[in-house]
Amino acid sequence: MEKMTLQDSNQPNNSPLLNSEADSQRTLYPYVTGTSVIALKYKDGILMAADMGGSYGSTLRYKCVERIKPIGKHSLLGASGELSDFQELLRYLDELILYDNMWDDGNSLGPKEVHNYLTRVMYNRRNKFNPLWNSLVLGGVKNGHKYLGMVSMIGVNFEDNHVATGFGNHLARPILRDEWHENLSFEDGVKLLEKCMRVLLYRDRSAVNKLQIAKITEEGFTISQPYSLKTFWGFSAFQNPTVGAEGSW
Amino acid sequence: MFRNQYDTEVTTWSPAGRLFQVEYAMEAVKQGSAAIGLRSKTHVVLACVNKANSELSSHQKKIFKVDDHIGVAIAGLTADGRVLSRYMRSECINYNYTYESPLPVGRLVVQLADKAQVCTQRSWKRPYGVGLLVAGLDESGAHLYYNCPSGNYFEYQAFAIGSRSQAAKTYLERRFENFKDSSRDDLVKDALIATRETLQGEKLRSSICTIAVVGAGEPFHILDQETVQQLIDAFEIVVDDEGPASEPGAAADEGAAAEEGAGTDTGAGTDTGAGADQGSGAAPMEI
């Protein structure tokens, strides 16, 4: 018996029983993450904003990650959280849209359908104790109907007129609650999003000053080129932030 | 007993390029009691003739609700029809679970046809002996499809299957151009008249027919017997029995007369009946 154990330990461990822990690969914690996504309904459709940072732990490792992607003809998906999980999700969705198009029968999946599909995927993965580590924002327009919703990594989902993930939920939502209204013009919508993004840029240490804003309407979607916000760091509170905060460094 | 040496296996071709087992399955559809469907832009109406197997028994159900937006009427082997409608129900529920929206009718019909096709290409299976009229509503409007055992499917403005369906088809062919803009009630009326055409001398009563409707703002449902009787009375179909509506039927009746007693869905074999129905010399695969 002892001898066998010895032999086993010298050979590559192939037994599924012995190896079960090593074989099971699941996200126990996220590696490369994106921070907040915020989105709102405006007069003609949906606007969505996200910066382009990718953090490796707390290191701002990547500076040009696209976190807003079009899904089919009617939807936009924005993601925060683990970026590789987002990429996996995009593979699922590409296949889904491909098969949907292959019917070639004039029917197509709208934002509501995609949102529900994402909910099912997220909840199913959490039931396997192997969640996709993301907060997702799904917005779109189909048949004159605007749709904006969110899904969390464990499958919690809801619709709202404006949504924000992560830090945005704490810093951007209060602003949106104050200033959002049904008839926002495109310009005002963008201004409102930029105001939120600026607050996040100041207060969220994983935010970077390079962002994209995406728009989707009945006519289709456009995702802006990356650009930066004007900032002003001359406030006295920024000069020496630890004054009056005893014990910090 | 056997027509020829090429009809014992599903997958054996005849030298003439026919699959006899599949064709026999199509005959089973013609033996079942009639089912009728017609549609306007916004509504689809299904109707069927109920025939009891014996004086002592009740009739079998021939119209099934699949989902709020889809229903089927069947002709042929009722047991096969039930299996297929259960399949359709489950497909609708699964789609609804994943996407929280109704399954497009055309897609369900294709899935159903693919399922039927597989049975024509496997040695250990048999084709389904049932034809289905699938009525449904989706984003692109109201639809009526006919699925047959060969795995073919067709979309129709109006159609009839089952025994003596030719008489109903003749009526529908004369009238279908008006259906597009028909009101719901007019569709039901036309369905009732078409149903009556398939009856041989028998009076149209609510006890021998079923009507179902699906349409904009109206989930698929089977009309209850009292309502149907009221409609029959209101449309005075019974009163003007010899009225103009029965005209087209008269011509078709001759053909239909040949198939005496082909009524039951379980189908005592009436070989000649189906023949008289459609001139079966032509390849029936095209149905």
Side-chain angles (χ1 to χ4, degrees):
Chain A
M1 215 36 193
E2 234 177 63
K3 202 182 165 191
M4 265 182 69
T5 347
L6 250 167
Q7 264 187 340
D8 276 350
S9 66
N10 286 331
Q11 281 180 348
N13 213 341
N14 286 327
S15 156
L17 281 173
L18 290 170
N19 222 1
S20 65
E21 208 164 306
D23 273 346
S24 83
Q25 295 188 349
R26 50 185 51 149
T27 315
L28 300 172
Y29 39 84
Y31 277 81
V32 181
T33 57
T35 183
S36 326
V37 181
I38 51 183
L40 48 82
K41 286 187 193 173
Y42 78 108
K43 195 162 48 106
D44 306 319
I46 305 292
L47 290 171
M48 195 181 287
D51 72 23
M52 303 188 76
S55 305
Y56 179 70
S58 51
T59 309
L60 284 169
R61 178 70 181 75
Y62 304 100
K63 293 186 279 191
C64 201
V65 185
E66 292 186 354
R67 295 194 289 124
I68 302 178
K69 295 280 184 184
I71 307 296
K73 271 189 291 189
H74 315 285
S75 316
L76 280 177
L77 176 64
S80 55
E82 169 59 51
L83 291 173
S84 66
D85 284 356
F86 178 47
Q87 288 167 348
E88 179 175 351
L89 210 51
L90 287 177
R91 279 204 301 275
Y92 294 159
L93 287 166
D94 276 349
E95 185 181 310
L96 183 79
I97 297 298
L98 179 68
Y99 280 113
D100 192 52
N101 288 335
M102 278 165 66
W103 281 98
D104 196 24
D105 61 355
N107 293 300
S108 57
L109 295 169
K112 178 183 169 230
E113 285 78 25
V114 176
H115 184 229
N116 202 252
Y117 171 81
L118 287 172
T119 301
R120 297 307 179 195
V121 172
M122 298 303 265
Y123 184 60
N124 185 249
R125 288 292 294 263
R126 88 113 227 193
N127 281 345
K128 292 174 179 160
F129 288 89
N130 186 198
L132 293 170
W133 216 283
N134 298 109
S135 280
L136 303 169
V137 175
L138 198 284
V141 186
K142 192 184 178 188
N143 300 332
H145 195 72
K146 287 176 269 187
Y147 189 96
L148 182 58
M150 257 189 70
V151 193
S152 80
M153 65 180 263
I154 53 172
V156 175
N157 65 99
F158 55 87
E159 278 179 69
D160 212 335
N161 294 319
H162 47 79
V163 295
T165 66
F167 243 62
N169 218 358
H170 302 96
L171 298 180
R173 285 302 290 285
I175 302 173
L176 292 167
R177 282 189 208 109
D178 284 344
E179 301 190 17
W180 181 89
H181 59 91
E182 195 90 51
N183 281 318
L184 274 177
S185 68
F186 172 70
E187 288 75 16
D188 291 346
V190 171
K191 265 184 207 150
L192 183 51
L193 282 182
E194 284 179 349
K195 184 175 183 181
C196 295
M197 292 305 281
R198 183 172 287 113
V199 170
L200 283 164
L201 180 61
Y202 280 136
R203 317 243 78 127
D204 176 3
R205 64 98 201 268
S206 5
V208 298
N209 196 5
K210 185 173 179 183
L211 64 117
Q212 286 178 302
I213 289 192
K215 166 181 99 159
I216 187 160
T217 62
E218 196 75 67
E219 277 74 53
F221 66 88
T222 42
I223 301 178
S224 78
Q225 288 302 307
Y227 69 102
S228 299
L229 296 169
K230 278 227 169 67
T231 51
F232 177 71
W233 297 94
F235 295 114
S236 56
F238 289 152
Q239 298 302 327
N240 189 357
T242 55
V243 161
E246 216 170 310
S248 67
W249 59 91
Chain B
M1 182 65 196
F2 297 117
R3 189 133 70 142
N4 58 49
Q5 57 179 315
Y6 297 108
D7 70 352
T8 52
E9 266 175 292
V10 180
T11 53
T12 301
W13 290 99
S14 83
R18 300 162 64 169
L19 292 169
F20 282 110
Q21 283 298 325
V22 175
E23 291 180 17
Y24 296 161
M26 311 270 284
E27 294 302 318
V29 178
K30 294 178 192 163
Q31 314 247 344
S33 60
I36 292 159
L38 56 160
R39 65 150 199 200
S40 69
K41 272 183 194 149
T42 56
H43 286 78
V44 196
V45 174
L46 293 178
C48 70
V49 179
N50 293 319
K51 282 266 167 62
N53 236 341
S54 86
E55 293 281 304
L56 297 171
S57 76
S58 64
H59 62 81
Q60 282 176 303
K61 213 175 155 188
K62 279 169 60 76
I63 294 186
F64 300 96
K65 178 174 178 161
V66 172
D67 200 347
D68 277 345
H69 68 300
I70 297 179
V72 290
I74 61 165
L77 302 186
T78 314
D80 285 8
R82 283 204 327 274
V83 167
L84 288 177
S85 36
R86 184 178 61 186
Y87 168 77
M88 293 166 84
R89 283 173 179 167
S90 120
E91 288 301 306
C92 281
I93 280 182
N94 286 332
Y95 190 93
N96 197 257
Y97 175 76
T98 313
Y99 303 107
E100 220 167 77
S101 67
L103 174 59
V105 191
R107 295 194 181 179
L108 179 63
V109 164
V110 172
Q111 286 180 274
L112 186 65
D114 288 352
K115 194 174 161 67
Q117 193 281 335
V118 169
C119 299
T120 67
Q121 216 177 357
R122 298 280 183 275
S123 60
W124 62 92
K125 291 189 170 184
R126 67 165 175 81
Y128 289 104
V130 70
L132 299 97
L133 289 175
V134 184
L137 190 72
D138 60 26
E139 262 180 50
S140 50
H143 298 283
L144 174 68
Y145 290 93
Y146 169 51
N147 275 76
C148 60
S150 63
N152 282 313
Y153 66 96
F154 306 90
E155 182 161 17
Y156 284 96
Q157 186 68 243
F159 199 50
I161 55 174
S163 68
R164 285 193 285 280
S165 60
Q166 188 53 51
K169 267 187 273 187
T170 309
Y171 174 78
L172 295 170
E173 276 162 17
R174 280 200 322 147
R175 304 256 312 160
F176 78 96
E177 269 146 343
N178 308 322
F179 290 164
K180 203 148 217 161
D181 300 307
S182 279
S183 69
R184 169 201 185 274
D185 293 340
D186 284 342
L187 280 188
V188 174
K189 184 180 176 181
D190 280 318
L192 281 167
I193 297 173
T195 309
R196 189 186 56 174
E197 299 296 318
T198 70
L199 300 173
Q200 215 177 17
E202 208 176 341
K203 207 169 150 193
L204 180 64
R205 283 170 289 113
S206 60
S207 56
I208 55 162
C209 69
T210 306
I211 304 279
V213 186
V214 61
E218 192 175 6
F220 185 90
H221 64 116
I222 297 171
L223 303 187
D224 59 52
Q225 210 171 311
E226 293 89 75
T227 316
V228 175
Q229 189 59 53
Q230 277 166 18
L231 286 168
I232 293 173
D233 297 341
F235 295 151
E236 296 179 330
I237 292 172
V238 182
V239 180
D240 74 329
D241 211 4
E242 299 308 315
S246 61
E247 246 176 48
D253 266 352
E254 289 171 39
E259 45 166 342
E260 274 291 311
T264 54
D265 267 305
T266 40
T270 48
D271 227 0
T272 53
D277 215 24
Q278 294 230 309
S280 67
M285 297 277 284
E286 279 169 21
I287 294 287

